[in-house]
Amino acid sequence: MTMSLVVRDGERFGIVASSSSPAVAARVTHLRPGVGAATSQNITDPTLGTDLLDGLADHGDAERALAGVTGAGRNAKTIEYRQLTVLGRCGPGFAHSGARTLGTYASATADGAVAAGNMLSGKHIPGVLLDAYAAASGELEERLLAALKAAVAAGGEEGPVHSAGLAVVADVDWRVTDLRVDWADDPVDRLGELLDVWLPQRDDYVRRGLDPASAPSYGVPGDL
């Protein structure tokens, strides 16, 4: 039903995700510049992603942030339905898969990365995400997309995928990349097409936010 990869690249954090459900990135991806990144998936409670980032902002410890969300407390009755990942400013990522996570599920962690999925074709898929990301080159967004494509090629999710998204935060207070395909028969390919359009313009749009007088215009009337 959902697979995701969360990574840290210097001061940047990125997430790529896909799902058989619509609008996966709107519900699953959680990033905060200078703090970290998290996913909340399976039978999704998006507030858990915010809670994980709040924990990271408070103390910076990803393992502690995950324990704070999955331990005794207001989530105790529902946490067995949740699959979560979290990654902070240093160290490895951490993952939780509750006992009621759907289908074949798995997670894998590394320094600066964590991958997880449910309703997978096999438990190897999170490892494929990590390995393909580590082997890829180019911009962070391109490496994230390469990892997702490799996971799909290795079997991906058990059923057809209909949505995909990719988001990155850097050194400004907004997502420098936030691309979504909310419903399509080929969302991963379409996400790649969006990235081809977006990536050459990404830094210009950051400059527009910081210093509009020096930012380039694309020559479109009323261009924003």
Side-chain angles (χ1 to χ4, degrees):
M1 186 174 177
T2 302
M3 60 182 177
S4 65
L5 171 65
V6 181
V7 302
R8 181 181 64 243
D9 181 41
E11 296 297 311
R12 299 180 297 172
F13 293 93
I15 299 177
V16 68
S18 67
S19 180
S20 59
S21 301
V24 61
R27 295 174 286 106
V28 166
T29 62
H30 303 268
L31 303 103
R32 194 172 299 175
V35 174
T39 64
S40 174
Q41 57 198 53
N42 195 58
I43 300 173
T44 312
D45 177 358
T47 66
L48 299 182
T50 301
D51 290 345
L52 289 167
L53 294 181
D54 286 346
L56 284 177
D58 182 48
H59 49 69
D61 185 326
E63 187 174 19
R64 181 180 166 190
L66 186 61
V69 169
T70 59
R74 69 177 179 86
N75 303 315
K77 293 183 178 180
T78 57
I79 199 64
E80 63 181 356
Y81 294 91
R82 317 302 185 188
Q83 187 174 53
L84 308 170
T85 69
V86 59
L87 179 67
R89 290 178 55 84
C90 61
F94 292 87
H96 162 84
S97 296
R100 291 180 179 266
T101 303
L102 297 170
T104 297
Y105 61 89
S107 61
T109 64
D111 186 51
V114 55
N118 55 79
M119 296 290 288
L120 298 173
S121 65
K123 290 181 176 292
H124 64 293
I125 295 299
V128 172
L129 284 164
L130 292 184
D131 291 345
Y133 172 77
S137 59
E139 295 279 0
L140 174 57
E141 290 90 340
E142 293 172 313
R143 286 177 275 148
L144 286 166
L145 182 63
L148 183 61
K149 287 184 173 181
V152 170
E157 300 176 45
E158 187 175 14
V161 172
H162 290 299
S163 68
L166 191 160
V168 171
V169 292
D171 55 354
V172 292
D173 290 333
W174 62 87
R175 297 183 178 192
V176 298
T177 294
D178 191 1
L179 305 178
R180 290 168 40 181
V181 177
D182 286 340
W183 188 261
D185 291 331
D186 55 348
V188 177
D189 289 340
R190 291 185 62 183
L191 185 64
E193 294 170 358
L194 284 175
L195 186 59
D196 287 342
V197 173
W198 171 252
L199 204 52
Q201 305 179 54
R202 178 197 63 193
D203 294 345
D204 291 338
Y205 281 100
V206 172
R207 192 182 311 170
R208 287 178 172 203
L210 299 175
D211 185 10
S214 70
S217 170
Y218 290 98
V220 179
D223 181 46
L224 299 176

